DNA sequence: AACTATTATTGAACGTGTTCAAAAAACCGT
DNA sequence: ACGGTTTTTTGAACACGTTCAATAATAGTT
């Protein structure tokens, strides 16, 4: 491993540890540099801005999502049950980072930033995340007329759930649990309904709406 | 009018003008104070943080929304047509602030901030905005089993459209236009479908999901 | 009018993210 | 080993948001 890579990794690690312990705003670039054993300017050599260090947080979230999807796998034949189990496991896994997520969402949402969930730079993570949905729900949706779109739709749904969770400042996260319960039921019903001939006309619509999110993968 | 109120108004006005001309980040608190004819510290006496000055931008956006809803009123009996006309008029009205909106969304999304669309401080604006939807679409949805929820749902939908618009960095905003066209069609269809007995079971779900957004008004 | 309490205003000072010119280190062909 | 080129590292300097103790203006009371 090149020295430069090691230096970069040291900075990433220091940043993530400090973010997790003290929060994003309370952690200064000087803290990170000191913890990583480099100078302030050197940290900026590898990361053009403090915001860019948030990417390590992303990768961590994704890893947790992946682990959770395997640990709490439900093989129920009911889409709603499997969806709810999956999301509850995911939310449990990321719960330790709730406070940090609340701080970080402001940079994640910035349109020009590399960190927003629709950016080119996060494409790889996005694809990998959709892949999880493909694997977990593949057998249930394989015969669906919109089978190719559903992983993207479910990924978008999980983004919405994450947002709901971020905005949930209650103690036990009960509102989010309720939201997951109800929204998974609704989403499952709509997905089932959309197999009916009555919904034939909506397929093209759904496809057109999701198309911009499905390029390049 | 008390002098204090006039001072506050001067700061608000200076801030909005500078934000619109130079953008949010390029405008410093020192610029605002100077343009308003007060000292730097004095600006902070009225607004605890620069972010709080974004509220004037909100109010402006809302006023534009209201104007647009009256100017481009469609009385079509088709929900889709009326929805599309309404949203296109709204997007035209806010188009001059596209770049500013892209900068400001980061503070608007902050969960702890007074400026996020779900906060207590923005409740009044939120209610007034929903009221617009009630007036514009009231006659079309009055007999709907979810009539009481639909203004909130449409408000949420318009928030989604606004977000899509913010993320649209194309020249002519074509993708957003397409998005409005398709999503209004889909939403209209779903609203019509939900009158069918088949959808009876989803009404309680929808109500539960929207309930948290409907308190206090 | 005089005295007190509250409100409004000031500008210097602090900490933070970020930039940059300069120095050091690593690399590479000869 | 040497000279030149590129990569990496440094820390001082800058601009900005924010804080705060001090001062001025205003309002209220006797």
């Amino acid at each position: 491993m090149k020295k430069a890579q090691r230096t970069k990794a040291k900075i990433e690690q220091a940043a993530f540890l400090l973010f997790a312990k003290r929060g994003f705003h309370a952690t200064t670039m000087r803290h990170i540099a000191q913890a990583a054993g480099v100078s302030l300017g050197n940290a900026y050599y590898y990361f053009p801005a403090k915001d860019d260090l948030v990417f390590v947080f992303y990768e961590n979230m994704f890893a947790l999502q992946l682990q959770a999807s395997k640990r709490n796998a439900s093989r129920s034949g009911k889409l709603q049950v499997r969806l709810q189990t999956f999301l509850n496991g995911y939310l449990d896994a990321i719960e330790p980072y709730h406070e940090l997520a609340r701080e970080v969402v402001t940079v994640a949402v910035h349109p020009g930033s590399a960190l927003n969930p629709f950016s080119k730079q996060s494409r790889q993570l996005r694809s990998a995340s959709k892949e999880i949905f493909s694997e977990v729900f593949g057998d249930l949706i394989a015969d669906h007329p919109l089978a190719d779109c559903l992983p993207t739709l479910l990924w978008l749904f999980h983004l919405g759930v994450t947002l709901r969770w971020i905005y949930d400042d209650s103690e036990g996260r009960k509102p989010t649990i309720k939201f997951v319960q109800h929204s998974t039921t609704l989403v499952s019903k709509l997905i089932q309904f959309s197999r009916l001939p009555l919904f034939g006309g909506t397929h093209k619509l759904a496809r057109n709406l999701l198309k911009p999110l499905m390029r390049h993968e």
Side-chain angles (χ1 to χ4, degrees), chain A:
Chain A
M1 196 185 214
K2 289 277 195 297
K3 190 185 169 207
Q5 286 176 10
R6 263 186 290 126
T7 307
K8 188 172 182 178
K10 270 198 301 181
I11 296 169
E12 275 178 350
Q13 191 187 347
F16 184 73
L17 289 176
L18 285 170
F19 287 165
K21 198 194 304 191
R22 312 250 188 234
F24 180 70
H25 283 112
T27 301
T28 74
M29 286 300 282
R30 287 164 179 82
H31 290 151
I32 295 172
Q34 187 170 18
V38 301
S39 72
L40 176 61
N42 199 211
Y44 278 93
Y45 179 75
Y46 290 101
F47 298 93
K50 187 186 179 188
D51 285 2
D52 292 306
L53 279 163
V54 172
F55 207 79
V56 305
F57 175 67
Y58 271 47
E59 287 166 338
N60 210 286
M61 290 272 278
F62 170 73
L64 290 172
Q65 187 188 22
L66 189 62
Q67 285 168 27
S69 75
K70 293 185 174 163
R71 192 173 26 226
N72 308 10
S74 155
R75 287 282 109 190
S76 164
K78 289 183 184 171
L79 178 56
Q80 191 276 327
V81 171
R82 208 184 284 188
L83 205 47
Q84 186 174 11
T85 307
F86 175 87
L87 288 172
N88 280 337
Y90 164 63
L91 290 176
D92 276 349
I94 63 178
E95 181 59 35
Y97 303 103
H98 185 255
E99 220 163 326
L100 182 53
R102 284 172 72 88
E103 285 191 279
V104 149
V105 67
T106 65
V107 349
V109 91
H110 188 226
S113 152
L115 299 135
N116 88 62
F118 306 107
S119 78
K120 282 173 191 164
Q121 290 86 344
S122 59
R123 198 190 71 205
Q124 199 178 345
L125 230 46
R126 192 166 61 243
S127 298
S129 186
K130 286 184 205 170
E131 196 51 45
I132 296 182
F133 285 98
S134 275
E135 284 175 19
V136 174
F137 300 97
D139 57 314
L140 287 182
I141 58 178
D143 62 334
H144 195 284
L146 290 170
D148 55 324
C149 299
L150 287 183
T152 299
L153 185 72
L154 291 177
W155 173 79
L156 211 56
F157 176 47
H158 119 279
L159 212 62
V161 169
T162 308
L163 210 59
R164 179 67 189 88
W165 171 76
I166 285 178
Y167 274 92
D168 185 353
D169 61 349
S170 72
E171 203 54 46
R173 242 51 99 201
K174 283 278 167 56
T176 301
I177 305 289
K178 282 279 176 205
F179 178 82
V180 168
Q181 181 193 332
H182 294 136
S183 60
T184 54
T185 310
L186 187 59
V187 165
S188 306
K189 282 200 172 177
L190 287 178
I191 290 181
Q192 300 305 347
F193 284 173
S194 63
R195 304 176 110 109
L196 303 174
L198 173 65
F199 279 79
T202 63
H203 292 171
K204 202 178 190 65
L205 282 172
R207 221 177 282 278
N208 280 330
L209 285 168
L210 292 173
K211 199 185 297 171
L213 296 173
M214 296 181 68
R215 290 196 205 109
H216 320 293
E217 34 182 38

